[in-house]
Amino acid sequence: MQALKSLLEVIVKLQNVGSYLMHIAIFIIFVWIGGLKFVAYEAEGIAPFVANSPFFSFMYKFEKPEYKQHKMSEAQSMNEEMQDDPKIIENKEWHKENRTYLVSEALGITIMTLGILVLLGLWMPLLGVVGGLLVAGMTITTLSFLFTTPEVFVNQHFPWLSGAGRLVIKDLALFAGGLLIAGSDAKRYLEGKGFCLMNRSSVGIKAKNCSSGCCS
């Protein structure tokens, strides 16, 4: 029993390590994915999500389901040898007119900004709080794609997630990560200002040198 207790005490110390690594992980994911939003195949790939979303569809010029007539595979979009194909040219022009690329770039800037805010939270906790909450909020909107985008299920049959659906469902972990970062950075900020939690299960705080001794 003593050996188990010692092992668990070591594992408990990993909590802080996990929080720091979560900052870095979300930064890498968001900057990488945000950067890809400037690449044609990624912009075209998110068209079904945006076009079917009640929150984002207004950003496109054309209404659903017109995008289905101009879908391309990643290989078709990026293969230089296929760029002279009349159908590819037509599809690219449609996406330009639809503002597909412009919207994707705007989303990319937003996503990368959130990733940077989260990373800066390692040194400036308040920025981490803001970044973490915004990450959680953003993932709520992306998780809504599970209910608005027909392509997330194979033949629209629940619960058979398609590739698009499997991509979206992973945002549940990012949602939890955003809340974890916001909470841990809020705690670090309060402690840095001389406050501490009165009770680990409550949101109350006391000033340093409080009688409970929690700040000692």
Side-chain angles (χ1 to χ4, degrees), residues 65-79:
E66 191 171 342
Y67 68 88
K68 293 183 178 181
Q69 303 173 28
H70 303 279
K71 292 179 69 174
M72 294 175 285
S73 68
E74 295 175 358
Q76 289 175 322
S77 179
M78 298 300 291
N79 191 328

Side-chain angles (χ1 to χ4, degrees), residues 56-171:
F56 299 111
S57 59
F58 73 92
M59 295 189 289
Y60 280 173
K61 179 178 179 179
F62 302 115
E63 296 183 358
K64 62 179 182 180
E66 191 171 342
Y67 68 88
K68 293 183 178 181
Q69 303 173 28
H70 303 279
K71 292 179 69 174
M72 294 175 285
S73 68
E74 295 175 358
Q76 289 175 322
S77 179
M78 298 300 291
N79 191 328
E80 294 183 1
E81 296 179 357
M82 302 180 68
Q83 300 311 301
D84 293 331
D85 185 302
K87 182 59 177 177
I88 299 296
I89 294 174
E90 177 189 341
N91 289 339
K92 295 279 188 180
E93 289 300 319
W94 182 89
H95 280 292
K96 287 180 182 178
E97 188 176 355
N98 186 48
R99 298 190 290 269
T100 301
Y101 304 121
L102 182 62
V103 169
S104 182
E105 290 169 2
L107 290 174
I109 292 172
T110 301
I111 292 170
M112 288 190 290
T113 299
L114 297 188
I116 292 170
L117 281 175
V118 166
L119 182 67
L120 291 176
L122 290 174
W123 299 277
M124 292 172 278
L126 270 185
L127 290 182
V129 173
V130 173
L133 291 176
L134 289 175
V135 165
M138 189 201 74
T139 53
I140 289 176
T141 62
T142 55
L143 286 169
S144 71
F145 296 155
L146 289 172
F147 306 97
T148 61
T149 309
E151 286 87 346
V152 298
F153 294 108
V154 177
N155 295 327
Q156 301 183 33
H157 288 165
F158 178 87
W160 313 122
L161 289 169
S162 65
R166 295 193 296 273
L167 176 67
V168 172
I169 197 69
K170 293 176 183 177
D171 278 1

Side-chain angles (χ1 to χ4, degrees), residues 19-64:
S19 176
Y20 287 120
L21 290 178
M22 182 62 75
H23 284 76
I24 297 171
I26 286 184
F27 167 74
I28 293 173
I29 293 170
F30 274 53
V31 170
W32 197 334
I33 297 300
L36 287 177
K37 292 292 185 285
F38 290 83
V39 183
Y41 80 86
E42 175 68 12
E44 296 152 6
I46 65 173
F49 299 121
V50 177
N52 287 284
S53 172
F55 306 110
F56 299 111
S57 59
F58 73 92
M59 295 189 289
Y60 280 173
K61 179 178 179 179
F62 302 115
E63 296 183 358
K64 62 179 182 180

